[in-house]
Amino acid sequence: MSTDVGSGSGSEATATDTGPDTAAGGSPSSSINPSSVRAVAKKDFRDSIRSWMFWGLSVFFFTLLVATTGVISYFGDDIAAQGQTTEALVAMVNGITRLVIPLIALILGWKAIAGERESGSIKILLSLPHSRKDVLLGKLIGRAAVLSVSLVVGFVLAALVVVALLGSFDIVDYGGLLVMSIIYGLAYTSIAVAVSSLTRSTTVAGAGMFGIFVLFYILWDTMLVAFMTLMNMGYLPEGETTAQVMLFFNSLDPGMAYQNVLSLVTSVGDLDGQTVMMLENMFGSVPFYLQDWFAFVILLGWIVVPIAIALFRFDRVDL
């Protein structure tokens, strides 16, 4: 069983997966060949799914979900009596996945490219008919598939526990939470693979992953508090524009977008009536950046933008 999630050992087996179609990839530094992307992704997925890290993270995630369902089952009678079993489950699972999924995605993506560059295997991989874009996209798809499998397994097993203990729950809400959790995980996987492609050192890449986690879980909120403090001290003008800037900035946080988008697919997460009334009094209506559809756009943006920047830069770095 591999101890690494697919890095540093992909060249040999990828060569066996590469079909004749990949030889028609054109310029190896600028083209994208779907067959070549698929070959890299397939090999990366197989390496990652066999790693102890994948199974360790999956067991960790499953344990957290089961612990959550255990808490719900303990108070199940009271929650069920209020008809809020599904709401309680989705709300509690959402609180866990918002923190745990980024950790899993960042760890899975840490060595995706940096590990290949550090070991030198990236040059062997690129000597095959794979362009740099093929490798980058293949790694992203492979790691995203591994993360998705881990989430699906964890969610399904936890659901079985809930059904066994509580009888039943709303599968539509639960399925919606799973789909949005996968999209949320894809966003962090894209960020992780993009950062991994920026350096040839796994140590630096690991520091980058830690920095990303600190950015979204500590600094983002700290900056909001700093803005509010400056506004209260008179260094920033009080008014509708300043409030809109702060709310818009807050909505760009992937975790906040994940929380907001749940109202698009589940019966929980909607803005409460008091908040809606306050926003309508301030701005005349609920701003577009606080609505669930825009939260979905933000999550898609966190998937597309990081990997697009990485595709542009990775074509031009000296390996």
Side-chain angles (χ1 to χ4, degrees):
M1 178 177 289
S2 170
T3 57
D4 189 11
V5 279
S7 66
S9 59
S11 55
E12 182 179 352
T14 303
T16 65
D17 293 330
T18 305
D21 289 342
T22 58
S27 172
S29 62
S30 59
S31 63
I32 297 176
N33 185 323
S35 297
S36 190
V37 172
R38 187 166 55 249
V40 175
K42 184 178 178 182
K43 176 60 175 61
D44 196 63
F45 176 80
R46 289 198 309 222
D47 282 349
S48 300
I49 208 78
R50 290 197 298 261
S51 72
W52 66 265
M53 187 175 292
F54 164 75
W55 288 105
L57 291 172
S58 297
V59 170
F60 173 66
F61 181 67
F62 167 68
T63 302
L64 286 176
L65 289 184
V66 169
T68 301
T69 56
V71 171
I72 293 177
S73 66
Y74 182 79
F75 298 102
D77 293 340
D78 293 337
I79 296 173
Q82 299 173 24
Q84 297 178 342
T85 302
T86 301
E87 288 82 355
L89 178 65
V90 172
M92 293 186 71
V93 171
N94 165 41
I96 293 174
T97 52
R98 182 178 176 182
L99 174 66
V100 174
I101 288 177
L103 284 174
I104 297 177
L106 292 175
I107 291 174
L108 284 175
W110 166 34
K111 293 184 178 179
I113 301 296
E116 299 277 7
R117 294 179 68 181
E118 189 173 73
S119 67
S121 60
I122 189 73
K123 294 181 179 178
I124 302 175
L125 187 59
L126 291 173
S127 69
L128 302 168
H130 302 313
S131 72
R132 296 189 182 194
K133 287 188 174 71
D134 293 338
V135 172
L136 200 56
L137 290 176
K139 290 286 184 178
L140 172 63
I141 295 172
R143 305 289 159 130
V146 171
L147 178 66
S148 300
V149 169
S150 178
L151 294 180
V152 169
V153 171
F155 269 73
V156 170
L157 292 178
L160 294 176
V161 175
V162 173
V163 171
L165 296 176
L166 300 180
S168 63
F169 66 98
D170 189 337
I171 193 171
V172 175
D173 274 4
Y174 196 69
L177 175 63
L178 171 59
V179 170
M180 287 305 159
S181 296
I182 291 175
I183 293 175
Y184 180 49
L186 292 181
Y188 270 96
T189 304
S190 177
I191 294 172
V193 173
V195 171
S196 182
S197 72
L198 298 180
T199 174
R200 65 182 69 220
S201 167
T202 54
T203 302
V204 176
M209 302 305 157
F210 178 75
I212 291 168
F213 190 79
V214 170
L215 170 64
F216 289 122
Y217 283 88
I218 298 177
L219 295 183
W220 208 273
D221 289 339
T222 302
M223 285 188 281
L224 279 174
V225 173
F227 287 147
M228 294 181 64
T229 302
L230 291 174
M231 187 175 67
N232 292 334
M233 294 175 66
Y235 292 104
L236 289 176
E238 291 189 47
E240 180 179 325
T241 301
T242 304
Q244 293 219 32
V245 169
M246 288 193 294
L247 289 173
F248 180 73
F249 177 78
N250 191 39
S251 71
L252 296 179
D253 176 7
M256 182 58 66
Y258 171 60
Q259 181 176 314
N260 292 339
V261 81
L262 289 179
S263 61
L264 191 66
V265 292
T266 72
S267 58
V268 300
D270 287 321
L271 294 175
D272 58 72
Q274 187 175 359
T275 302
V276 171
M277 184 180 301
M278 181 191 69
L279 292 171
E280 288 177 343
N281 289 336
M282 290 178 64
F283 309 120
S285 62
V286 178
F288 73 90
Y289 47 81
L290 296 181
Q291 298 182 22
D292 47 17
W293 67 267
F294 190 73
F296 185 68
V297 171
I298 291 174
L299 283 182
L300 293 182
W302 279 114
I303 296 174
V304 173
V305 174
I307 200 64
I309 295 173
L311 286 170
F312 176 81
R313 186 183 179 281
F314 191 56
D315 251 354
R316 292 160 176 79
V317 297
D318 181 10
L319 300 177

